[in-house]
Amino acid sequence: APSRQFFVGGNFKMNGTIDSIKSIISHLNDAKFDSNTEVVIAPPALYLLLAREHLRQGIEVAAQNVFDKPNGAFTGEISVAQLKDSNITWTLLGHSERRVILQESDQFVADKTKAALDGGVGVILCCGETLDQREANKTIDVVQAQLKAVADKVTDWSKIVVAYEPVWAIGTGKVASTEQAQEVHAAIRKFLKSAVSEEAAERTRIIYGGSVSEKNCRELAKAGDIDGFLVGGASLKPAFVEIINAKQ
Ligand code: PEP
């Protein structure tokens, strides 16, 4: 099996100031981490350029969202070309906070994923079930439907990182167990094999998100299908470096 490069993303959500983001960045710039781990931080849009300017080479910057139209009368939105122009090489898409609070549909997330990839921006594609859906045994169905909307439009998954983020685990301190996460990650890989290709199934990084901390990251990182993390709250703290180094 091909080895998949470990991938750790930090989602700052709607947090931070010029000063606090500069201070997180200088901590990351000084930190030692495995050169074989891909590290990407996603500050609020207003601070993307600031982050790119201050971060050292080798750490990438992601937007938290992007729009699917190239330009024009779309007040408040940011285009893929504008990200490219600003050296922002990744974007999150389909985060549960956007799916739930802003009612983004699977289709809309898929359209934006296609637009980002077509424009040369990598996508951290978030998926995951709510607590109700898990309790109704619908976890795999929900995640598959979210990914199928993308698989129907995109055949080259080499610039997609799938983030499995159970909604009940995000920002709650209730981390999925290693077994719970591994089960869904394995199901996602199986889905990729049937809906995309064997190559996509083997090569696509599937990262876990939901209350990852410096305490639980090493255990989770042992699972065969967990290729990294998407970290919210803990990415704002110095301990983010310990999560980046979970494999060491
Ligand atoms: C997230 O926002 O993607 C996330 C996983 O948040 P947290 O780590 O705070 O649960």
Side-chain angles (χ1 to χ4, degrees), residues 86-98:
S86 307
N87 265 318
I88 308 305
T89 49
W90 289 92
T91 185
L92 303 182
L93 283 171
H95 192 281
S96 68
E97 288 148 19
R98 299 199 63 86

Side-chain angles (χ1 to χ4, degrees), residues 1 36-37 122-124 127 131 142 149 174 211:
N36 202 31
T37 295
V123 174
I124 302 167
C127 59
L131 185 59
V142 167
K174 279 189 203 158
S211 297

